[in-house]
C-alpha cells in the first residue's frame, strides 16, 4: 500500500495539533477565525465517497467530536463544516468557528481575502484551548 | 415530540426531489451549478453534533450516496459538501457539483452573486438526471 503523504499546501497553511484514529487534526495559521482541518490519513482520496464505509463512519465521528470541542472552546455562534477541495485535492474537512463579528460573517471563509498569521503565543494558546475542550 | 417543519427560505430556494430515510433531498432553484441540499427531518437541530449518533451515521450514508450520484449524473470535476448555516439555522447539508468553467471556480458558491433560476424544463431534466443516477 502507498504511504499517506500530507499535501504540501495543507502543511504550509496549518500545523498538526493532534493525531486522531483516522485524521491528522490541524490548526490553520490564520487568526481571523478558529479554523481546524481534519485530514484523513489515507493516500489518493479526494472525495468523502472515495473512503471505505468504515473510514466514512470514523470521519463522521471525528468531525462531530472536533466540532463540539471547537464550539465548547470558543463559544462560537455557528460551526461551519465543509469538504471543498477545489484547489487542494487531498481530502480534508474544514471545521471553523464563526462569530457574528468575524471578518466575513455570514459569508463563507474560503477565498475571502488573505490569512492573518497568529502571533506564536496566541497560536499556542488557541491550540491549548481547543485540546482542553476534548477532555 | 415536536413535528419537523421545513425552514421557509429552504422551501423557497429549493424543491424536494426525493425523501430519503432521514433527509429531504432538495434541488436548489439555481441553474449556475447542480446544487443539492439534504435536510435532516428533525426539529430544532442546527449542528451535526446535535443529531443523535444514529442520525449522524445515516446522514453520512445519505451524503455519500447523494455525492456519488451527483458526480455520476453530472461528471463534475469536484463535489463540494458543506454544512454552514450561518443564515438559515435549520441543519442542511449542501452537495454541489463544481466545474472548472463554472461562475466562481475554484471559489465557494455560497454568498456568490445571485441565483439564476432554471427554465422549468431544464429543472425537470436536471432532477431526472440526478434521480436516475441513484439507480
Amino acid at each position: 500500500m502507498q504511504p499517506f503523504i500530507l499535501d504540501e499546501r495543507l502543511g504550509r497553511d496549518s500545523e498538526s495539533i493532534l493525531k486522531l484514529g483516522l485524521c491528522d487534526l490541524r490548526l490553520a495559521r490564520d487568526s481571523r477565525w478558529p479554523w481546524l482541518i481534519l485530514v484523513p490519513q489515507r493516500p489518493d482520496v479526494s472525495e468523502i465517497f472515495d473512503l471505505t464505509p468504515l473510514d466514512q463512519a470514523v470521519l463522521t465521528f471525528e468531525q462531530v467530536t472536533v466540532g463540539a470541542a471547537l464550539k465548547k472552546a470558543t463559544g462560537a455562534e455557528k460551526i461551519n463544516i465543509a469538504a471543498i477541495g477545489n484547489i487542494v485535492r487531498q481530502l480534508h474537512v474544514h471545521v471553523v468557528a464563526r462569530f457574528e463579528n468575524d471578518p466575513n460573517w455570514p459569508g463563507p471563509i474560503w477565498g475571502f481575502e488573505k490569512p492573518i498569521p497568529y502571533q506564536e503565543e496566541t497560536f499556542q494558546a488557541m491550540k491549548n484551548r481547543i485540546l482542553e475542550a476534548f477532555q
Side-chain angles (χ1 to χ4, degrees), chain A residues 20-120:
Chain A
L20 299 167
L22 173 64
C23 294
D24 180 11
L25 176 64
R26 308 183 61 88
L27 177 57
R29 298 191 170 100
D30 184 349
S31 64
R32 298 175 299 169
W33 18 59
W35 177 357
L36 294 169
I37 301 173
L38 281 162
V39 188
Q41 297 169 95
R42 296 285 182 261
D44 290 327
V45 172
S46 60
E47 301 281 7
I48 292 175
F49 48 85
D50 294 335
L51 290 171
T52 65
L54 177 58
D55 280 350
Q56 291 167 9
V58 175
L59 176 59
T60 298
F61 173 75
E62 294 183 355
Q63 257 175 227
V64 160
T65 305
V66 165
L70 186 61
K71 169 120 187 167
K72 184 176 157 199
T74 62
E77 175 67 23
K78 189 69 187 64
I79 300 295
N80 293 174
I81 299 184
I84 301 179
N86 300 338
I87 299 170
V88 172
R89 290 302 169 92
Q90 183 171 79
L91 179 60
H92 58 287
V93 179
H94 304 275
V95 182
V96 192
R98 302 299 306 274
F99 299 87
E100 290 186 359
N101 63 353
D102 77 29
N104 201 35
W105 177 269
I109 67 158
W110 306 282
F112 179 75
E113 297 181 356
K114 296 277 166 249
I116 299 176
Y118 283 94
Q119 301 293 322
E120 181 56 26

